Amino acid sequence: MHCFVFLFIFGCVNKALCLQSSCGVEQELATTQGAAGCGWNLKRPAATVEHRTVSVDPDAKYSTLANEEMPTVQGEEKKLQTRSDCLMVSSGYGILLYGEGPQRPVHVDSFYMDIQEVTNRQFQNFVNATGYVTEAEKFGDSFVFEGILSETVKNQITQAVAAAPWWLPVKGASWRHPEGPDSNITDRLNHPVIHVSWMDAVAYCSWASKRLPTEAEWEYACRGGLRDRLYPWGNKLNPKGQHYANLWQGDFPSHNSGEDGYIKTSPVMSFPSNGFGLYDMVGNAWEWTSDWWAVHHTTDQQHNPKGPPSGTDKVKKGGSYMCHKSYCYRYRCAARSQNTPDSSASNLGFRCASQDQR
Ligand SMILES: [Ca+2]
Ligand SMILES: [Ca+2]
């Protein structure tokens, strides 16, 4: 069973761009400012990169405890049985700068996809079973959006990202302490785990006998069986006034009205699922994919593409609760951004995929 998935688009965006009333302005903003808003420049200082290597103790990984602690929710995945007639076409808010084009046919074999982002509870089970230490914990800090920090923590910080001053490196910030040492996840166990690097995500998925999805798989999953649509649910951001994803309402970065109910992450599955039964494919937390980042693509049809063989950054998809159309129009299935594999931030998580049911 096969499917041809058309990824991204730029060369034929003119008609699609008209789907949005003011998209010309949006595109300009997104191309000139969106990178910083999406965390593009969140790179760790070179001096600390030496801590990059991480591993999971094999004995711990396969221990009885590890197996017993596997939460049942990890079994919640959907088989995405691809069909030869499911030609998918990006509805095309293509941004050339980020390699959203050209549109191209891609064959993807059937695969299983987690229906939700990996939660704090799931990640906690993994850590309890393996003793795993995340890269943010090894580095001793992680990037946090200024707007969700306490005054106490903010007052202790003297540096920021020049192009995106709302991103602050917070000592002690990690998946356990999302806004720094004075925060915890006690009441957020069903929220997506954040402050996890690409290596952390790979370690978790490996422990769960899964893997990260490729970018092609992720985009196919995001579309939920629809063709020519911007979002997993269609082309309108808020059909009938309803919110379909945890995004940013208000003025970025100064005011988040929380109109959708959340100003930070939300419990997974708080918004409607897409046609494949997958939740939060856009919004809530950004999601790592297995692909290295590139902006130039062949238009030749590819089978199960895995991205470039090497690179410096990994592709992330879906946008986050921080995405606003004026600055980070990345909550579209075709949209993409990137970070170095050791990056971590308060809006970046992941979900796993697998070839066989787990
Ligand atoms: Ca929100
Ligand atoms: Ca997401």
Side-chain angles (χ1 to χ4, degrees):
M1 301 297 285
H2 308 301
C3 176
F4 291 94
V5 181
F6 283 82
L7 293 181
F8 321 127
I9 187 170
F10 184 78
C12 47
V13 297
N14 290 341
K15 283 187 178 178
L17 281 170
C18 297
L19 294 171
Q20 300 291 327
S21 59
S22 60
C23 50
V25 175
E26 293 154 5
Q27 183 176 32
E28 180 181 350
L29 288 169
T31 52
T32 57
Q33 301 175 321
C38 293
W40 192 24
N41 295 322
L42 302 184
K43 299 187 190 309
R44 293 190 179 282
T48 57
V49 169
E50 63 196 46
H51 301 291
R52 187 174 295 181
T53 303
V54 294
S55 62
V56 176
D57 180 352
D59 292 332
K61 176 180 176 182
Y62 297 112
S63 69
T64 301
L65 178 62
N67 292 324
E68 289 177 348
E69 288 294 309
M70 286 279 283
T72 55
V73 73
Q74 287 184 328
E76 293 187 25
E77 53 189 12
K78 290 282 185 181
K79 183 174 186 180
L80 305 187
Q81 192 106 40
T82 55
R83 307 185 306 275
S84 58
D85 62 348
C86 57
L87 299 177
M88 300 183 66
V89 181
S90 166
S91 41
Y93 191 82
I95 300 176
L96 184 60
L97 182 61
Y98 301 108
E100 286 191 25
Q103 179 184 20
R104 54 203 185 275
V106 174
H107 165 104
V108 179
D109 287 339
S110 298
F111 62 103
Y112 286 88
M113 187 75 154
D114 286 355
I115 65 170
Q116 54 170 92
E117 298 150 330
V118 172
T119 64
N120 282 318
R121 177 178 283 110
Q122 289 175 310
F123 200 80
Q124 187 176 60
N125 287 333
F126 160 60
V127 168
N128 288 344
T130 62
Y132 185 84
V133 179
T134 62
E135 292 202 275
E137 292 169 295
K138 290 180 178 178
F139 282 114
D141 61 25
S142 188
F143 285 99
V144 184
F145 172 56
E146 179 185 20
I148 59 176
L149 284 173
S150 68
E151 290 302 319
T152 304
V153 171
K154 266 193 285 192
N155 291 337
Q156 295 170 351
I157 300 171
T158 56
Q159 50 179 321
V161 179
W166 48 86
W167 281 112
L168 301 180
V170 176
K171 291 192 185 313
S174 70
W175 72 276
R176 300 175 192 272
H177 305 288
E179 293 87 41
D182 61 352
S183 64
N184 62 63
I185 57 171
T186 303
D187 61 351
R188 285 182 270 180
L189 290 176
N190 60 345
H191 287 225
V193 63
I194 50 178
H195 294 295
V196 282
S197 70
W198 185 87
M199 292 297 294
D200 299 334
V202 167
Y204 173 91
C205 291
S206 176
W207 172 76
S209 300
K210 299 180 183 180
R211 58 175 173 75
L212 284 176
T214 65
E215 183 178 12
E217 288 173 333
W218 191 99
E219 184 163 334
Y220 176 77
C222 182
R223 297 188 178 284
L226 297 179
R227 299 173 60 170
D228 288 320
R229 296 295 182 268
L230 289 171
Y231 313 118
W233 56 87
N235 275 333
K236 289 186 176 179
L237 180 59
N238 302 120
K240 299 179 180 177
Q242 183 177 357
H243 290 280
Y244 278 69
N246 182 5
L247 305 172
W248 180 294
Q249 294 86 41
D251 301 314
F252 186 87
S254 59
H255 175 63
N256 186 346
S257 70
E259 184 182 297
D260 59 16
Y262 304 94
I263 61 170
K264 297 189 288 187
T265 58
S266 50
V268 297
M269 301 192 287
S270 295
F271 295 83
S273 66
N274 71 3
F276 289 154
L278 308 176
Y279 295 84
D280 303 302
M281 289 302 297
V282 298
N284 213 12
W286 277 100
E287 299 174 25
W288 289 111
T289 74
S290 58
D291 291 26
W292 288 108
W293 172 263
V295 295
H296 301 291
H297 313 286
T298 176
T299 54
D300 297 337
Q301 181 176 324
Q302 296 185 73
H303 284 237
N304 301 314
K306 298 184 180 345
S310 62
T312 57
D313 292 347
K314 288 290 184 178
V315 177
K316 61 179 183 179
K317 297 282 282 186
S320 77
Y321 66 90
M322 286 178 61
C323 278
H324 184 271
K325 188 179 281 186
S326 68
Y327 215 92
C328 178
Y329 193 24
R330 297 291 193 277
Y331 44 89
R332 296 165 292 109
C333 292
R336 55 206 302 266
S337 188
Q338 85 277 32
N339 281 106
T340 55
D342 61 358
S343 299
S344 61
S346 57
N347 65 348
L348 180 51
F350 68 102
R351 78 179 69 206
C352 308
S354 62
Q355 220 57 46
D356 303 308
Q357 191 164 20
R358 299 298 179 190

